[in-house]
Amino acid sequence: MIHSLFLVNASGDIFLEKHWKSVVSRSVCDYFFEAVERATEPENVPPVIPTPHHCLINVLRQRVYFVAVIQSEVPPLFVIEFLHRVVDTFQDYFGVCTEAAVKDNVVVVYELLEEMLDNGFPLATESNILKELIKPPTILRTVVNTITGSTNVGEQLPTGQLSVVPWRRTGVKYTNNEAYFDVVEEIDAIIDKSGSTITAEIQGVIDACVKLTGMPDLTLSFMNPRLLDDVSFHPCVRFKRWEAERILSFVPPDGNFRLLSYHVSSQNLVAIPVYVKHNISFREGSSQGRFELTLGPKQTMGKAVESVLVSSQLPRGVLNANLSPSQGTYTFDPVTKLLSWDVGKINPQKLPSLKGSMSLQTGASKPDENPTINLQFKIQQLAVSGLKVNRLDMYGEKYKPFKGIKYMTKAGKFQVRT
Amino acid sequence: MIHLIMDTFLRYLKEREQEQLVKILSFMFYIFRHDDLKEMLDSNKDSLKLEAMKRIVAMIARGKNTSDLFPAVVKNVACKNIEVKKLVYVYLVRYAEEQQDLALLSISTFQRGLKDPNQLIRASALRVLSSIRVTIIVPIMMLAIKEAASDMSPYVRKTAAHAIPKLHSLDPEQKDQLIEVIEKLLADKTTLVAGSVVMAFEEVCPDRIDLIHKNYRKLCNLLIDVEEWGQVVIINMLTRYARTQFLNPNINESLLEDSSEKAFYASDDEEDEDKKAEAAALVKRKPYVMDPDHRLLLRNTKPLLQSRNAAVVMAVAQLYFHLAPKAEVGIIAKALVRLMRSHSEVQYVVLQNVATMTIKRRGMFEPYLKSFYIRSTDPTQIKILKLEVLTNLANETNISTILREFQTYIKSMDKDFVAASIQAIGRCATNIGEVRDTCLNGLVQLLSNRDELVVAESVVVIKKLLQMQPEQHSDIIKHMAKLIDNIQVPMARASILWLIGEYCEHVPKIAPDVLRKMAKTFTNEEDIVKLQIINLAAKLYLTNSKQTKLLTQYVLNLAKYDQNYDIRDRARFIRQLIVPTDKSGALSKYAKKLFLALKPAPVLESPFKDRDHFQLGSLSHLLNAKAGGYQELPEWPESAPDPSVRNVEVKDSVCARRTVLTGPEGAGSVPVNMILLAHLTESDSGSGSESASASDESGSGSESEESGEETESEKEEEDEEKEKKRKKRLDKTKAKKPAEESAERCAIHTSYQINTIAPSGSIKMYELLHRITGEGLAVEYCFSRQPFSPDPNMVAVQIQFTNNTNSETKNLHIEEPRLQSGMRIREFAEIGLQPTGESVTVVMGIDFCDSTQAANFQLCTHTRKFFVSIQPPVGELMTPVFLTENDFKKEQGKLMGMNEISEKLTLGEKCVNEHVIVERVTATANLSRVPCGSDKECRFAGKTVSSGCLVLVTVTTKEGGRAQLTVNCEKMVIGTMLVKDIMQALSQ
């Protein structure tokens, strides 16, 4: 399936290669570089690039391209999903998955890749199993290793692969047993010129951080499970139980994992927590344009809207912007024409605004495209869909764990058209 | 140092010789440059070796050549340090192909590894061995794979499955032998192996669909428990399989569709569809009935739409698209729309597939129209795909919203996207007649756009639209004629010229003037524009020769000397055709007809049309070209092949026994003991990791098959039950089942039992802890007679806990075993929690060292400890061995004298026939029957579990109810005790 893997950085250097079958010359990447050159933006590189003898499937994460070489028919999503899983694993191990991190840990990376694929077919992709095979590097362990010469490779061979719960390590022990769940909802919306909602959806995830001793068996129930329209589960969740009782019942993996992602049914009206008043105009014949932007809270259920960040791609004709924010700071990059305004918290008494003028190229006609405004924000302690966790129970272990649930609402792909 | 030598030498040498020397020295340098690494590898210290290996691996990762280190590295293949070893493997696999001879040095290490008692070491040895691409070891590999394919451990078998494609790519001549191994592994019952072996199947022999028949139902049922990557491969393979074996579920509708496609699309509600289906069924010859196996596949894949893995979701989606009845396909839309939230690469692939689906089944995505709206932050390639989907989804009802949306897209800053949007508008306009005028007006407005690309694209699209009804639009044509002065984009200029030429009769005044202008600029135009100028000239000459004769001549003269031969050709051809001369051919009469024929309006088609002949989700579909190794999705068969090929036969001998056992009672009512038995094996799998793999073992090791007489309904239930089994496996605490179901399951599991052990009357339960002494906790045990997979030298003891207290019992586990020397216990995994009234069954292993000494241990709950002991009857210390009559005789010959114990006895009143004797003996001892020619003799064989000594039993019946019992066994104590037990059993 996957023949080889090349890691390519933003400047087009191959800094790591790994082959699972016979060696494929790195010159195969020339086709990829051509495609990169042809694409104007890095994200416009086609994920699948056919070449005469191979096919290149790539993903871009954190300015690193992961280019897999394929020789025969294989579902492209299979490869893409796997490459993302590789990146996730690296992130899990090294905190970030940048070129520097990979180069610093090249041996661990190689050992991981060796375990994850056998002859190009995925073998062990569960983070818990991998961590038993290859210990993630920590500062302490690095120091100890250099002194004692001991290794990163687990002494014992893992049994997890053979068990019925392959996602969980055996023999987990903690002094503090805790289970935290974060319910994070994102609002994807497109708001049109007049402020009415064109489309709005809520996508949510429940991320868990479970540090429990032994083999706990957890059940999580919701007050209003009917809200969830479409769900996808971590493999640990028992699907039948959810079908029958709308209860999440699972033996959790150890550590951080995504338990569930869901989509809130589109029948429910989505409360849009902020509004944007804008007036962006260019006058014919003059080299000046007007820019006015005001933000305000709309339906926030009494919670504060925080970490607000506004960004907008201004038309190419704009040379510079001379604006004054009522709060926060703004930057305008004259090269990329990207305006971003870090607003911070919205105070309902004193609405934040950004006003001023834009200067255009003299003589150029007025741009006929309108910039869109992208919004980011966070609202703590609120799940905008109204989803509520009812209770979390643990079976199978006798200690009392510490349980915590946190709600948060964020802007996903939130756009205002002007 | 080398540099120094080089310098000194160079000083004394003439220039010509220098060059030669530099070459030699640089080669030497190349050899010596890894000296330090070699030294480190040769040292005794593991830390130095490790450091060296790390540096080497880092070099490999950067793509540096380190092949000269091969001998130094390979020496360390047997290193004790596990990390060094692993890195050596990495190196070895990378360079073995280049250094074949040296690589052979390492083979013996792996061969030793293949025999290791630890399954993980066996597996890793096989993995590395099979990754070494050296042709000379093909026979060794073949042998190792064959051996591993029948290994006890499913993990090793999985590795064997992985090794198959490796060997196949190394030496395709081994195909036939490998197919045999695949066939064997396909019959494996463990989820661990299923994905890998199907992968091997797909790579080695994807056309051998006949190998799947027998395993089809099993694969369907295992699917949900297979790891995610395996799921993808299995689903894709099963899609192909189903296409060859089942009938098209939409067969009636597809006939109907031809006549009323439009109407059908317009009303895509499920109700309507049902009605249609009904109507169709009435009209058509015979109603369609779905094969239950087809249904099984659809039902078992459906939950996987909820997978977190996009590839699995896509695989299920394509399965439904290609196999499901129209009314059911809709369910995949929601899941696919969910994937659109994922990474942009995933979005890209999903959108490509959605685009293909929307052409065939528009109705299914209509409710999700808004999910395909485009954001300014989407990458261009995503935008264009979304646009494609939106265009496909457009119909009379939603076109106004879609057009409004398109209008905003035209104002985007991304010009490629704007161009695509304009084309999309054009397509909507051609497909939906009602909005054609609106679209055209909108596009005409775009002609005054400042961006030339936008204008050009609009011109091209308008041209196509105008062709549909040119009469009413002479204004627009005039407007476009004016544009020719400003537009520079060749395609747009060419389109305008073509339009004017085609409809020159609508604009009689302007057309000659345009030609005049073009004649002036002819030499500077692009080729496509030049061709259109010639066309325009020809058409005008034919309709209005008075005004344009000279102009045409001029243009044709210019074209005659053009650099491009196409243009020269065209000019010569047209001159002959239109300009009347003496010898003009017969064609010139028809010139007008040729040029001014009514041309059919172009149909604007989606590039995704007809892509669905490729299996969706495949690489070939994405590229719209066949990729290497792509397996065509077969067309539905006209009539269904025999469905009985999927019935699983029971082996003859087993079948016979089965009738003996369950025959009289019939399948519906099975003896109670069998139910119990089945229940136990079933709940096995629910009791923690160790025991689960134990039951897996027994399942595959015994090669037991599902009964051939299974009815359809049984199948259905079986699959539901599998579902439940999955849930239950995790759900350790729940072991209860409705009675019916367990009876059902029993029917399935009887054959398992029969095959693994000789048919026994019943399995006796022994009490370990009474309800009263256990303060409500009752514990019983029995000897399940299953092989205990974690350790084959142990006797499997099945323990059933029943909680009769009013509170939950927690942390059931074993402590402080007090054992005779040599005896060992493999404890069951701790039972975390046992709710009131429930019972749980677990399996533990005890090595009794072939003695009947009791194993003592403490059974602990979270509150109490109980001292208990298990004493095995001698008959449980053995496992059956299958011997032929000759083998039996031979072995018996070896165990004469002291090892033979013979007793005479009188048979009990009920021991009237052979059947009862067999039953009694096998109930007493875990032995299997040996075939025997004489009907006066019954023979049984087995071996002790711990030391594997043979135990042979012969019962010879004589007249008058008398009989002689002979036991041959090396272990005299066992022999004596066994004689006693069997005598007792027979004389009762």
Side-chain angles (χ1 to χ4, degrees):
Chain A
M1 299 205 121
I2 297 175
H3 219 97
S4 306
L5 176 70
F6 295 98
L7 266 57
V8 179
N9 65 14
S11 51
D13 299 324
I14 301 171
F15 63 92
L16 187 119
E17 62 178 68
K18 170 96 182 95
H19 309 273
W20 283 275
K21 300 184 182 181
S22 50
V23 178
V24 177
S25 155
R26 52 165 71 190
S27 63
V28 74
C29 288
D30 291 348
Y31 294 98
F32 171 73
F33 296 135
E34 263 173 45
V36 172
E37 236 163 72
R38 230 175 295 129
T40 41
E41 302 281 323
E43 63 264 28
N44 273 333
V45 179
V48 182
I49 302 165
T51 78
H53 300 291
H54 300 92
C55 188
L56 305 177
I57 298 185
N58 68 84
V59 304
L60 173 66
R61 289 275 293 264
Q62 281 161 346
R63 300 164 52 77
V64 176
Y65 288 101
F66 290 72
V67 186
V69 182
I70 307 299
Q71 207 157 32
S72 59
E73 173 63 49
V74 53
L77 267 186
F78 185 97
V79 182
I80 290 171
E81 184 77 25
F82 177 79
L83 291 176
H84 281 298
R85 201 62 70 79
V86 169
V87 182
D88 292 342
T89 312
F90 288 173
Q91 263 173 357
D92 200 23
Y93 265 75
F94 317 127
V96 283
C97 178
T98 56
E99 184 187 351
V102 171
K103 276 183 171 169
D104 288 348
N105 300 291
V106 70
V107 175
V108 179
V109 165
Y110 234 66
E111 284 169 341
L112 280 173
L113 289 176
E114 188 71 29
E115 291 299 336
M116 290 181 85
L117 279 181
D118 182 14
N119 194 35
F121 191 75
L123 195 63
T125 49
E126 280 299 337
S127 131
N128 270 286
I129 290 184
L130 286 170
K131 281 191 174 159
E132 264 184 274
L133 283 166
I134 301 149
K135 301 260 173 17
T138 58
I139 294 171
L140 183 69
R141 192 169 298 124
T142 322
V143 174
V144 171
N145 284 359
T146 40
I147 294 167
T148 61
S150 58
T151 68
N152 271 336
V153 172
E155 290 293 321
Q156 278 187 327
L157 294 153
T159 47
Q161 262 165 315
L162 312 172
S163 79
V164 279
V165 271
W167 53 84
R168 190 172 175 85
R169 290 194 290 144
T170 43
V172 184
K173 278 218 163 61
Y174 289 102
T175 40
N176 295 324
N177 288 296
E178 40 193 29
Y180 297 109
F181 294 87
D182 290 356
V183 180
V184 182
E185 296 195 335
E186 293 192 353
I187 305 176
D188 288 355
I190 302 178
I191 313 282
D192 82 353
K193 218 174 185 156
S194 58
S196 57
T197 312
I198 293 180
T199 159
E201 310 181 318
I202 300 171
Q203 310 277 350
V205 293
I206 299 184
D207 283 334
C209 175
V210 177
K211 294 181 173 170
L212 296 175
T213 309
M215 271 285 170
D217 195 332
L218 304 179
T219 57
L220 185 85
S221 61
F222 298 102
M223 303 275 254
N224 38 9
R226 302 222 167 274
L227 276 175
L228 309 184
D229 178 39
D230 182 40
V231 280
S232 75
F233 300 118
H234 189 276
C236 69
V237 177
R238 290 163 187 133
F239 183 70
K240 279 280 155 176
R241 192 92 189 268
W242 169 259
E243 284 282 270
E245 306 167 54
R246 299 272 144 181
I247 283 176
L248 293 175
S249 153
F250 54 98
V251 175
D254 185 39
N256 294 313
F257 66 102
R258 174 155 297 174
L259 178 65
L260 167 83
S261 37
Y262 60 89
H263 177 255
V264 176
S265 60
S266 38
Q267 275 80 30
N268 297 39
L269 274 182
V270 178
I272 304 289
V274 286
Y275 69 84
V276 179
K277 265 201 240 160
H278 52 83
N279 182 7
I280 302 170
S281 59
F282 306 97
R283 248 167 303 141
E284 194 71 63
S286 109
S287 63
Q288 289 284 312
R290 233 173 40 167
F291 190 100
E292 272 181 45
L293 206 64
T294 312
L295 302 177
K298 213 166 155 190
Q299 295 153 293
T300 62
M301 288 120 193
K303 301 281 194 312
V305 184
E306 296 165 354
S307 319
V308 183
L309 186 75
V310 179
S311 62
S312 178
Q313 180 79 47
L314 295 185
R316 243 166 269 147
V318 177
L319 280 183
N320 209 343
N322 186 11
L323 309 171
S324 58
S326 70
Q327 72 179 71
T329 52
Y330 88 97
T331 54
F332 176 72
D333 184 341
V335 182
T336 58
K337 316 288 181 200
L338 190 73
L339 174 82
S340 70
W341 174 29
D342 188 352
V343 184
K345 196 170 165 179
I346 295 182
N347 180 358
Q349 269 74 51
K350 191 173 164 292
L351 298 177
S353 65
L354 182 68
K355 285 180 187 157
S357 64
M358 298 173 286
S359 53
L360 300 170
Q361 262 165 328
T362 42
S365 49
K366 102 179 168 72
D368 41 18
E369 59 254 337
N370 295 340
T372 44
I373 296 161
N374 296 305
L375 223 60
Q376 284 170 45
F377 55 81
K378 267 183 202 165
I379 305 170
Q380 303 281 2
Q381 293 152 24
L382 171 75
V384 73
S385 67
L387 186 76
K388 271 227 144 55
V389 172
N390 185 19
R391 54 182 296 143
L392 175 74
D393 297 304
M394 187 181 74
Y395 304 97
E397 297 290 337
K398 56 189 168 184
Y399 54 82
K400 267 232 169 318
F402 188 80
K403 302 177 274 194
I405 285 163
K406 203 167 80 181
Y407 297 94
M408 182 156 62
T409 298
K410 286 203 287 194
K413 295 172 181 169
F414 198 103
Q415 289 200 335
V416 181
R417 291 174 179 167
T418 63
Chain B
M1 186 186 78
I2 286 158
H3 285 285
L4 257 173
I5 300 170
M6 235 158 89
D7 284 349
T8 359
F9 265 89
L10 287 177
R11 232 171 279 157
Y12 296 103
L13 283 169
K14 285 182 207 158
E15 281 216 353
R16 220 189 319 156
E17 286 167 358
Q18 269 188 13
E19 220 169 88
Q20 196 68 31
L21 196 75
V22 168
K23 266 186 197 162
I24 294 168
L25 284 181
S26 58
F27 180 69
M28 279 171 68
F29 179 64
Y30 173 76
I31 289 178
F32 289 128
R33 70 184 167 153
H34 292 137
D35 265 356
D36 52 337
L37 285 174
K38 276 185 196 155
E39 253 168 52
M40 287 164 88
L41 286 169
D42 288 342
S43 80
N44 300 328
K45 278 192 193 155
D46 277 356
S47 57
L48 277 179
K49 284 182 180 178
L50 184 61
E51 184 55 37
M53 279 318 295
K54 279 185 172 173
R55 275 165 58 185
I56 293 168
V57 166
M59 282 195 278
I60 295 176
R62 266 180 283 137
K64 296 261 173 2
N65 188 0
T66 56
S67 56
D68 54 319
L69 286 166
F70 200 92
V73 173
V74 167
K75 263 187 283 180
N76 290 303
V77 74
C79 178
K80 288 277 176 295
N81 183 310
I82 201 158
E83 189 166 18
V84 173
K85 206 175 190 165
K86 277 196 167 175
L87 295 176
V88 172
Y89 289 174
V90 169
Y91 182 91
L92 187 64
V93 171
R94 170 70 177 74
Y95 284 112
E97 210 171 4
E98 294 171 26
Q99 312 254 350
Q100 307 228 349
D101 295 342
L102 286 170
L104 293 180
L105 296 176
S106 62
I107 303 298
S108 63
T109 319
F110 301 120
Q111 280 179 308
R112 229 175 302 137
L114 289 171
K115 299 270 183 306
D116 198 281
N118 185 334
Q119 50 175 342
L120 290 154
I121 291 178
R122 285 201 302 278
S124 101
L126 179 62
R127 213 183 127 193
V128 182
L129 179 71
S130 56
S131 300
I132 296 173
R133 286 173 297 273
V134 177
T135 341
I136 208 161
I137 62 162
V138 164
I140 299 177
M141 259 194 223
M142 193 69 226
L143 207 70
I145 290 175
K146 276 186 178 164
E147 217 158 87
S150 40
D151 197 285
M152 287 244 303
S153 148
Y155 186 66
V156 178
R157 295 202 298 274
K158 181 190 175 78
T159 319
H162 276 277
I164 292 170
K166 298 185 204 170
L167 181 54
H168 181 251
S169 67
L170 186 64
D171 181 10
E173 298 208 337
Q174 304 292 323
K175 189 172 172 181
D176 293 339
Q177 287 196 58
L178 287 174
I179 292 177
E180 273 169 38
V181 183
I182 290 176
E183 192 172 4
K184 182 172 182 187
L185 286 172
L186 274 172
D188 206 300
K189 290 224 165 13
T190 54
T191 53
L192 211 53
V193 183
S196 307
V197 67
V198 172
M199 184 63 230
F201 172 85
E202 289 283 83
E203 251 175 63
V204 178
C205 52
D207 44 344
R208 287 291 303 274
I209 225 87
D210 56 300
L211 296 181
I212 303 301
H213 291 320
K214 293 268 176 283
N215 302 300
Y216 173 82
R217 288 174 196 159
K218 184 195 69 195
L219 283 174
C220 286
N221 289 328
L222 287 183
L223 193 58
I224 197 150
D225 290 333
V226 175
E227 39 84 39
E228 40 196 357
W229 310 108
Q231 284 171 346
V232 178
V233 179
I234 296 179
I235 294 172
N236 278 323
M237 187 274 292
L238 287 179
T239 310
R240 249 180 33 241
Y241 177 86
R243 270 293 185 100
T244 61
Q245 300 299 319
F246 306 129
L247 286 178
N248 183 357
N250 301 317
I251 188 141
N252 294 328
E253 279 150 68
S254 60
L255 287 166
L256 198 74
E257 213 170 85
D258 296 335
S259 51
S260 60
E261 199 170 1
K262 272 278 175 210
F264 185 82
Y265 275 146
S267 59
D268 231 355
D269 304 8
E270 286 208 357
E271 269 187 8
D272 269 29
E273 211 154 314
D274 285 347
K275 273 182 209 154
K276 287 257 156 136
E278 275 167 28
L282 283 176
V283 175
K284 294 305 158 205
R285 312 141 288 183
K286 62 173 183 193
Y288 166 80
V289 181
M290 188 183 270
D291 189 306
D293 285 332
H294 191 171
R295 175 54 64 205
L296 173 74
L297 177 61
L298 291 176
R299 195 177 34 213
N300 282 12
T301 45
K302 193 176 159 190
L304 295 178
L305 282 174
Q306 252 65 50
S307 171
R308 65 168 172 173
N309 187 320
V312 176
V313 177
M314 189 67 231
V316 179
Q318 66 83 23
L319 181 128
Y320 263 77
F321 183 79
H322 289 301
L323 299 181
K326 212 165 235 174
E328 291 170 41
V329 182
I331 57 161
I332 64 173
K334 202 189 268 181
L336 288 176
V337 169
R338 185 185 69 230
L339 295 188
M340 306 254 300
R341 280 277 300 175
S342 189
H343 302 282
S344 83
E345 296 89 4
V346 175
Q347 264 188 58
Y348 176 82
V349 178
V350 170
L351 279 169
Q352 294 251 1
N353 287 293
V354 169
T356 307
M357 289 185 195
T358 45
I359 291 173
K360 254 235 166 132
R361 306 231 196 282
R362 178 175 9 191
M364 145 177 139
F365 286 98
E366 259 174 53
Y368 304 98
L369 185 73
K370 288 189 171 175
S371 306
F372 298 99
Y373 280 6
I374 294 156
R375 295 182 158 78
S376 64
T377 40
D378 288 333
T380 311
Q381 49 187 353
I382 300 289
K383 283 180 186 161
I384 288 172
L385 283 169
K386 279 187 175 174
L387 210 53
E388 178 67 39
V389 173
L390 286 175
T391 317
N392 289 343
L393 289 179
N395 62 15
E396 284 85 351
T397 45
N398 59 23
I399 185 67
S400 55
T401 38
I402 290 185
L403 279 182
R404 210 176 309 133
E405 200 45 36
F406 282 178
Q407 266 166 13
T408 58
Y409 298 162
I410 288 167
K411 290 180 190 147
S412 164
M413 285 177 227
D414 184 343
K415 290 305 165 210
D416 291 337
F417 169 54
V418 174
S421 304
I422 294 170
Q423 280 179 8
I425 293 174
R427 258 180 55 204
C428 287
T430 49
N431 296 342
I432 301 158
E434 285 89 331
V435 293
R436 198 167 295 153
D437 289 337
T438 336
C439 290
L440 202 53
N441 287 337
L443 289 171
V444 170
Q445 277 170 23
L446 284 180
L447 291 178
S448 49
N449 194 294
R450 236 176 262 105
D451 193 289
E452 198 187 17
L453 279 169
V454 175
V455 179
E457 201 65 46
S458 317
V459 167
V460 175
V461 173
I462 289 174
K463 178 206 125 189
K464 288 177 183 162
L465 287 182
L466 283 185
Q467 242 182 306
M468 293 176 174
Q469 43 203 160
E471 308 79 30
Q472 310 144 18
H473 297 296
S474 49
D475 295 354
I476 298 174
I477 298 175
K478 276 178 203 155
H479 183 89
M480 287 172 69
K482 281 180 205 151
L483 283 173
I484 198 93
D485 296 336
N486 302 321
I487 291 187
Q488 294 306 326
V489 178
M491 190 61 207
R493 285 175 81 86
S495 296
I496 296 176
L497 291 174
W498 184 89
L499 261 183
I500 294 171
E502 189 67 23
Y503 306 114
C504 52
E505 280 153 350
H506 299 284
V507 283
K509 282 186 185 150
I510 296 171
D513 198 45
V514 172
L515 182 62
R516 181 186 59 81
K517 280 186 197 162
M518 297 321 293
K520 271 206 285 192
T521 56
F522 184 85
T523 43
N524 300 326
E525 297 290 350
E526 289 277 332
D527 290 346
I528 42 166
V529 185
K530 282 178 179 169
L531 288 174
Q532 288 308 327
I533 296 174
I534 300 172
N535 264 352
L536 174 65
K539 284 172 185 167
L540 284 177
Y541 184 88
L542 289 172
T543 52
N544 185 5
S545 59
K546 207 168 72 188
Q547 270 187 306
T548 58
K549 190 171 178 184
L550 287 172
L551 270 173
T552 309
Q553 298 270 351
Y554 176 66
V555 167
L556 289 177
N557 280 336
L558 281 177
K560 194 176 173 185
Y561 300 106
D562 200 90
Q563 282 189 328
N564 187 306
Y565 49 76
D566 274 345
I567 293 169
R568 293 198 302 271
D569 255 10
R570 177 79 59 95
R572 203 172 307 133
F573 160 69
I574 282 179
R575 191 191 292 273
Q576 290 301 319
L577 200 60
I578 59 171
V579 183
T581 53
D582 309 339
K583 42 180 180 169
S584 60
L587 267 181
S588 56
K589 271 186 273 177
Y590 303 104
K592 198 161 185 176
K593 271 193 183 156
L594 279 174
F595 278 102
L596 295 170
L598 208 62
K599 294 170 186 75
V603 185
L604 298 182
E605 268 184 352
S606 162
F608 288 89
K609 195 166 184 277
D610 289 334
R611 273 229 205 157
D612 63 324
H613 64 268
F614 287 115
Q615 188 168 1
L616 285 181
S618 67
L619 182 63
S620 306
H621 169 266
L622 191 86
L623 301 175
N624 201 16
K626 226 188 234 177
Y630 172 73
Q631 293 291 314
E632 286 287 350
L633 194 62
E635 282 300 316
W636 293 103
E638 287 285 311
S639 57
D642 182 14
S644 65
V645 288
R646 284 180 294 279
N647 291 345
V648 182
E649 289 158 21
V650 179
K651 281 178 194 140
D652 285 354
S653 58
V654 179
C655 205
R657 281 184 199 162
R658 190 190 138 97
T659 22
V660 170
L661 262 175
T662 57
E665 290 92 345
S669 62
V670 191
V672 181
N673 55 41
M674 296 308 288
I675 294 182
L676 176 70
L677 211 59
H679 188 76
L680 289 175
T681 23
E682 178 61 15
S683 39
D684 239 354
S685 53
S687 52
S689 56
E690 273 178 349
S691 56
S693 60
S695 74
D696 281 349
E697 265 317 301
S698 69
S700 53
S702 61
E703 287 190 16
S704 53
E705 312 282 28
E706 276 136 85
S707 123
E709 299 109 305
E710 245 175 40
T711 60
E712 303 294 39
S713 69
E714 264 179 350
K715 257 177 281 155
E716 305 237 323
E717 263 153 293
E718 179 197 346
D719 118 72
E720 265 165 38
E721 170 228 333
K722 280 276 177 177
E723 269 291 334
K724 275 179 194 131
K725 186 170 162 190
R726 177 200 182 214
K727 181 174 139 200
K728 213 181 65 170
R729 175 180 295 188
L730 305 169
D731 229 349
K732 284 180 249 165
T733 47
K734 293 208 166 181
K736 267 188 13 184
K737 284 280 164 96
E740 295 169 22
E741 233 181 53
S742 60
E744 191 60 66
R745 195 177 324 112
C746 176
I748 295 148
H749 281 275
T750 37
S751 48
Y752 283 55
Q753 295 308 318
I754 291 160
N755 218 352
T756 42
I757 55 169
S760 58
S762 69
I763 281 194
K764 198 176 159 193
M765 295 295 279
Y766 303 88
E767 188 169 79
L768 192 60
L769 191 64
H770 190 262
R771 191 158 54 86
I772 296 167
T773 43
E775 294 173 355
L777 180 72
V779 186
E780 286 184 309
Y781 69 96
C782 68
F783 297 94
S784 63
R785 298 191 169 184
Q786 300 283 325
F788 187 69
S789 74
D791 189 337
N793 292 338
M794 288 189 174
V795 178
V797 184
Q798 209 150 47
I799 304 181
Q800 185 176 4
F801 299 93
T802 314
N803 186 2
N804 298 320
T805 56
N806 297 327
S807 60
E808 294 167 337
T809 313
K810 289 179 191 161
N811 301 77
L812 267 170
H813 63 281
I814 287 179
E815 258 180 32
E816 292 181 33
R818 271 182 293 151
L819 304 167
Q820 302 288 327
S821 67
M823 276 165 75
R824 293 173 302 140
I825 280 192
R826 179 69 84 95
E827 294 161 22
F828 54 87
E830 185 176 295
I831 300 173
L833 183 104
Q834 192 183 13
T836 311
E838 305 248 308
S839 43
V840 174
T841 312
V842 295
V843 179
M844 65 185 280
I846 304 176
D847 182 357
F848 287 104
C849 285
D850 295 343
S851 79
T852 50
Q853 301 278 2
N856 302 309
F857 53 87
Q858 283 183 23
L859 199 61
C860 307
T861 68
H862 63 303
T863 48
R864 286 280 321 251
K865 290 180 177 177
F866 306 103
F867 288 94
V868 290
S869 74
I870 292 180
Q871 186 171 27
V874 67
E876 304 296 346
L877 295 176
M878 43 202 76
T879 59
V881 168
F882 294 94
L883 291 181
T884 61
E885 193 171 1
N886 284 340
D887 287 343
F888 187 87
K889 289 252 174 74
K890 213 195 292 171
E891 294 296 340
Q892 201 176 25
K894 288 183 199 162
L895 294 168
M896 301 300 273
M898 265 171 67
N899 295 330
E900 186 176 86
I901 304 156
S902 213
E903 287 283 343
K904 287 201 174 104
L905 69 142
T906 318
L907 291 174
E909 282 167 26
K910 285 177 189 162
C911 286
V912 282
N913 59 16
E914 190 190 296
H915 174 62
V916 182
I917 295 176
V918 172
E919 206 171 299
R920 291 270 169 95
V921 175
T922 48
T924 317
N926 191 8
L927 298 172
S928 70
R929 193 167 170 202
V930 176
C932 174
S934 132
D935 55 351
K936 294 276 181 215
E937 253 181 37
C938 296
R939 292 171 183 161
F940 305 89
K943 61 173 185 186
T944 58
V945 174
S946 183
S947 55
C949 299
L950 273 182
V951 182
L952 308 173
V953 177
T954 319
V955 183
T956 320
T957 49
K958 292 175 182 161
E959 276 164 40
R962 284 180 304 124
Q964 173 150 3
L965 171 70
T966 316
V967 173
N968 301 72
C969 180
E970 204 177 305
K971 300 231 168 190
M972 281 152 60
V973 187
I974 298 261
T976 328
M977 289 170 83
L978 192 61
V979 166
K980 225 164 76 185
D981 280 8
I982 295 178
M983 272 179 61
Q984 199 184 358
L986 289 179
S987 50
Q988 263 172 10

